[in-house]
Amino acid sequence: MDGGEDSATVRGQDTGTAAPPAVAQQPPLTGRVHYLLGGTLPPTYNAWISRDLTGPGWRMRQAARPFVLMLPFAVIFALLPGGAVVRAATVAFLLVAGAGLGFATSGFFRNRRLEQHGFPPVFPPHDEEDDE
């Protein structure tokens, strides 16, 4: 006898959380930069966040974040005085290390970002102390 309303609406909850929109609303450029740097986006972008963290290609996007964050440092080291070989090796090391760390930590940081935005983690946390 709720007049055809969804039970979530009757309880006073937001109807947007019950059914995500078919098209994910993409945050503006400033929001994406904030998100790239580890910030939390408003719930209106939850569908976009979910697609970003669980959709196809999520590992490449997660691995690209440290690589992109390492680019300004690579440019600075490339512009410092010194031998061209030393500068090139330093830049290559920074970029390869950024990409390697991105791939190595992508699952951990994906879970952290999912929990940060109110989603359940994909992989359950693993405690080393429980194995003993």
Side-chain angles (χ1 to χ4, degrees):
M1 302 212 203
D2 57 340
E5 293 181 3
D6 185 19
S7 61
T9 307
V10 174
R11 291 188 203 121
Q13 297 176 353
D14 185 59
T15 58
T17 58
V23 177
Q25 181 181 357
Q26 189 173 10
L29 179 62
T30 55
R32 285 181 290 203
V33 169
H34 177 69
Y35 177 75
L36 172 71
L37 296 174
T40 304
L41 293 177
T44 56
Y45 303 115
N46 274 353
W48 183 82
I49 294 166
S50 176
R51 185 188 55 77
D52 180 54
L53 295 174
T54 60
W58 71 267
R59 189 173 300 276
M60 287 298 292
R61 287 190 296 274
Q62 290 297 310
R65 285 184 171 98
F67 181 83
V68 169
L69 293 174
M70 195 64 72
L71 280 175
F73 297 102
V75 169
I76 290 170
F77 277 99
L79 297 175
L80 289 176
V85 174
V86 173
R87 289 184 295 164
T90 304
V91 168
F93 172 75
L94 287 174
L95 296 179
V96 169
L101 286 172
F103 279 110
T105 61
S106 61
F108 171 78
F109 282 111
R110 175 172 76 158
N111 277 347
R112 183 191 148 304
R113 293 180 71 80
L114 283 168
E115 290 175 347
Q116 176 183 9
H117 288 91
F119 295 105
V122 175
F123 302 117
H126 180 70
D127 292 332
E128 295 294 328
E129 298 170 3
D130 293 341
D131 292 342
E132 295 175 4

